[in-house]
Amino acid sequence: RNIDPIWESKYSKGHKQFYPWDVVVSFVFKNILSKKPKKNPILELGFGTGSNLWFAAREGFSVFGIEGSKTAVSIAKRRFKLEKLSGDLRLGYFTKLPFKNDFF
């Protein structure tokens, strides 16, 4: 159940990612935005500083994330708050998700 401490070390030393991965943006636009309404929630496991979820929240999706680094969660929450975005961003373990079965 332990999370590799390397991630907390990196984020606490200033590692951040502000823009989403291009493959995530392409996937969302190709497979979701062009075909379906934004009603389905999006979950990211290991969201880091939240750039992919930030993108999805700006596009109107309900976003949820689990991250093992306390510092990374704090950075992501701060960014969401500054930009008045909503998201359920939690510190936790990927092996025990705090969501109801079949929620996603």
Side-chain angles (χ1 to χ4, degrees):
R1 285 191 65 146
N2 291 333
I3 295 170
D4 189 337
I6 189 71
W7 296 108
E8 179 58 30
S9 175
K10 285 183 174 218
Y11 291 118
S12 67
K13 291 177 183 172
H15 176 76
K16 296 177 186 144
Q17 182 175 334
F18 290 110
Y19 296 100
W21 291 98
D22 60 337
V23 293
V24 171
V25 173
S26 295
F27 178 85
V28 168
F29 278 106
K30 180 180 177 185
N31 296 295
I32 300 173
L33 286 178
S34 65
K35 299 175 184 173
K36 299 177 185 173
K38 300 174 188 177
K39 67 179 182 176
N40 294 329
I42 292 179
L43 169 66
E44 184 173 12
L45 303 176
F47 63 81
T49 54
S51 59
N52 294 325
L53 294 177
W54 165 82
F55 156 72
R58 286 176 50 106
E59 291 299 322
F61 289 94
S62 295
V63 299
F64 299 80
I66 301 292
E67 170 58 47
S69 165
K70 183 178 180 179
T71 300
V73 172
S74 177
I75 292 167
K77 284 184 173 183
R78 192 173 324 122
R79 184 177 192 192
F80 269 59
K81 184 176 181 179
L82 283 171
E83 297 195 29
K84 296 181 172 80
L85 295 172
S86 144
D88 185 341
L89 310 177
R90 301 184 192 196
L91 177 66
Y93 295 101
F94 315 149
T95 56
K96 179 120 172 101
L97 299 179
F99 306 106
K100 292 180 182 179
N101 288 342
D102 300 321
F103 184 73
F104 297 98

